[in-house]
Amino acid sequence: MDLSRRRLLGRAGAGAATLGLFTAGFSTAGAWAAPRFPDDPFRLGVASGDPHDDGFVLWTRLAPDPLAVDSRGGMPERTVPVQWQVATDERFRHVVRSGTARAVPELAHSVHPEVRGLRPGTEYFYRFRAGQAISQAGRARTAASPHGRGGDRLSMAFVSCQCWYEGYYTAYRHLADAGHDLIVHLGDYLYENGVGATAGVRGMPELDAQYRRETYTLAEYRNRYALTKLDTDLQAAHAAAAWALTWDDHEVENNWAGDWAQVDGDGFPDGDPAAFRARKAGAFQAYYEHQPLRLPQKPHGARARMYRRLTFGRVMDLHVLDSRSYRDDQVGGDGTKPGFDAERRAPGRQMLGAEQEAWLLRGAARSHATWNVLANQTLIAQVDQDPDPAVLSSGLDMWDGYVDARTRLLGGLYERGVRNTVVLTGDIHRSVVADLKLDFDDPSSPVVATEFAGTSVTSGKNGSASDQVGANWLAEGVNPHLKWHNAQRGYTTLHLSHDELRAEYHVTDYVTAPGSPVSTAAAFTVAPRRPGARQV
């Protein structure tokens, strides 16, 4: 892999090219005499995630042959010790923490060491070693302490929906050079669909036949992650900053809900919850094996607790949500369509589930941070998708299909006096800025929170600044709480301080070929305790 053009990796070295380089502080005795790999075992890169004020979790997976059909990555059925180091400098002259993790075949030889004892709000560098192979170096910053000085500003980005065969990950190349403190991924890291005969725009007809069909088994999900993570732009973005991730639907199957698969005629027994739980178990395990997640997020079969809270000084509490695992099934057979108004408004419908909903409202009310930020999957704002005022057309997979759950969420925030909520949303492959109102049908109803929905990294291919969907959504009088719309690909950055939150929408000209430039399509600010976005 040629990662030399990356700002960070170009200085720290990459993959097998670093053998014998930067070895100060590594023991060469005992376990380091074996194993010996036929190729670089760190071909899937390195990552860090979920930063706390004293550390973060690290990740890598040993896979000298990442696309091996048996999904073992070219590794034997043996446990392999993997040494890790954390240093204050890129050349690892000042190592402050180190240890050894066990890469076991049951987890596809992935490791997730949780590093503690670091200083708050501090930049660190990390790397791994297995045998004589040394990984590329990664960068991560610990969160600022909520009890100490400093940490008055935070720079972050959020992304979603990165269909590998529909585009190149140019957005990640730009993110890798930006020096953010945090990158948030809102879901659809993986797509379960077959990649097609030539892997779409990637042009790889030599891929094994398993990649051309939908994923169902643990082995198939593992190999699809390996294929995705071989992208060097994605690797560079992982190595450049700590990530906080949650899943949406395509990590398992399009528009799944709880224990229910989408009825799509793909040959899977959609009406059998037990069969779907088995599929979810494999998908969940593969997700954990390929992401920088802490031990509490390790799945137990078809169950996993993905929702969690990360604190960044007194500036931000990040509430990472899971709006798939606990929701009721979509009404009306899913999709976007008129009608089903009574069904989608039925009392008690769940999007987050009672436990997660209570956890979120309780945590937001108790927060002492300037900003409560929700890492959310599907659009919360009400959107009538038909410009005809006589027709109400709703997206039944979004919060529009769970009206009572939305009312409880926004009403609960309002009743508790929470006026600093900003929602980050993915899923819709377009960018939207919205005021979240207590009652969307009442123009005088108060604004409770601000929603920044971000576009996809690649899903939907190139896109455009405007399209018919956007024209319908922004038609006069249809959705007056929507402030802006764009249908290009890209990512969104946030700059948070005690004075304001600034969101900038960055878009690529194209994704169906590599090397697109990036530009800023729009910027918005939100003032503390004054919900609602203002374009600047």
Side-chain angles (χ1 to χ4, degrees), residues 23 44 64 109 122-123 209 232 258 266 309 311 358 378 474 498 501 503:
T23 56
L44 297 181
H109 291 95
T122 302
E123 179 182 69
T232 55
D266 62 354
R309 187 175 295 113
T311 295
T378 60
L474 296 181
H498 297 305
L501 181 150

Side-chain angles (χ1 to χ4, degrees), residues 148-485:
R149 295 182 178 180
D152 295 330
R153 296 182 179 276
L154 183 70
S155 172
M156 59 183 285
F158 69 93
V159 293
S160 66
C161 304
Q162 55 186 56
C163 186
W164 177 85
Y165 54 85
E166 288 197 336
Y168 289 88
Y169 293 158
T170 307
Y172 284 128
R173 176 166 56 84
H174 293 287
L175 276 179
D177 293 332
H180 290 297
D181 303 318
L182 178 72
I183 296 175
V184 177
H185 199 291
L186 300 173
D188 293 350
Y189 191 100
L190 185 77
Y191 279 70
E192 80 283 13
N193 315 102
V195 304
T198 62
V201 303
R202 301 278 181 155
M204 297 174 62
E206 69 276 10
L207 287 176
D208 185 78
Q210 69 164 288
Y211 295 98
R212 297 195 289 273
R213 59 178 181 262
E214 190 165 335
T215 51
Y216 295 107
T217 68
L218 171 59
E220 290 169 343
Y221 282 109
R222 278 177 174 171
N223 274 0
R224 198 63 61 87
Y225 277 106
L227 181 66
T228 302
K229 295 182 81 73
L230 278 171
D231 185 276
T232 55
D233 290 332
L234 177 60
Q235 288 188 22
H238 270 296
W243 286 41
L245 300 102
T246 187
W247 54 46
D248 191 18
D249 53 340
H250 287 288
E251 285 87 355
V252 182
E253 184 193 42
N254 182 55
N255 287 7
W256 65 277
D259 281 341
W260 296 98
Q262 184 186 53
V263 179
D264 55 9
D266 62 354
F268 185 79
D270 296 315
D272 183 351
F276 186 58
R277 282 193 292 270
R279 181 180 183 180
K280 276 203 306 180
F284 284 8
Q285 178 171 333
Y287 184 85
Y288 176 78
E289 290 172 348
H290 291 86
Q291 304 295 9
L293 295 169
R294 292 179 180 269
L295 188 59
Q297 279 63 65
K298 185 176 183 293
H300 299 278
R303 296 288 179 262
R305 176 162 173 160
M306 287 300 295
Y307 67 89
R308 58 206 190 273
R309 187 175 295 113
L310 302 173
T311 295
F312 294 82
R314 299 294 289 267
V315 174
M316 180 181 75
D317 280 340
L318 179 67
H319 311 267
V320 181
L321 304 184
D322 174 2
S323 64
R324 287 289 162 191
S325 297
Y326 314 101
R327 65 159 68 188
D328 292 324
D329 199 7
Q330 298 93 342
V331 300
D334 202 354
T336 298
K337 60 191 71 169
F340 302 100
D341 203 48
E343 294 90 339
R344 69 189 187 90
R345 294 181 185 273
R349 278 183 61 74
Q350 296 286 348
M351 172 65 93
L352 301 178
E355 181 179 331
Q356 182 179 189
E357 184 179 293
W359 165 87
L360 173 57
L361 291 173
R362 183 172 59 248
R366 294 176 178 175
S367 172
H368 297 290
T370 301
W371 302 100
N372 272 302
V373 177
L374 278 54
N376 167 63
Q377 285 75 61
T378 60
L379 198 66
I380 292 180
Q382 176 176 291
V383 178
D384 182 355
Q385 305 201 34
D386 193 309
D388 185 343
V391 178
L392 174 61
S393 180
S394 304
L396 299 174
D397 183 62
M398 303 190 296
W399 285 74
D400 267 346
Y402 301 79
V403 176
D404 193 52
R406 178 172 63 198
T407 300
R408 293 194 307 270
L409 172 62
L410 297 180
L413 292 171
Y414 188 76
E415 292 164 4
R416 290 163 174 79
V418 180
R419 302 290 187 267
N420 61 349
T421 302
V422 172
V423 180
L424 313 181
T425 295
D427 177 66
I428 56 174
H429 305 176
R430 56 190 65 243
S431 299
V432 174
V433 178
D435 291 343
L436 299 183
K437 299 175 71 69
L438 198 60
D439 182 353
F440 288 101
D441 297 321
D442 179 3
S444 64
S445 180
V447 177
V448 177
T450 308
E451 183 167 26
F452 292 110
T455 187
S456 61
V457 172
T458 58
S459 304
K461 298 186 178 179
N462 291 333
S464 59
S466 61
D467 62 5
Q468 188 59 53
V469 171
N472 293 345
W473 289 17
L474 296 181
E476 185 175 358
V478 177
N479 299 295
H481 50 281
L482 300 186
K483 300 292 190 71
W484 182 76
H485 170 276

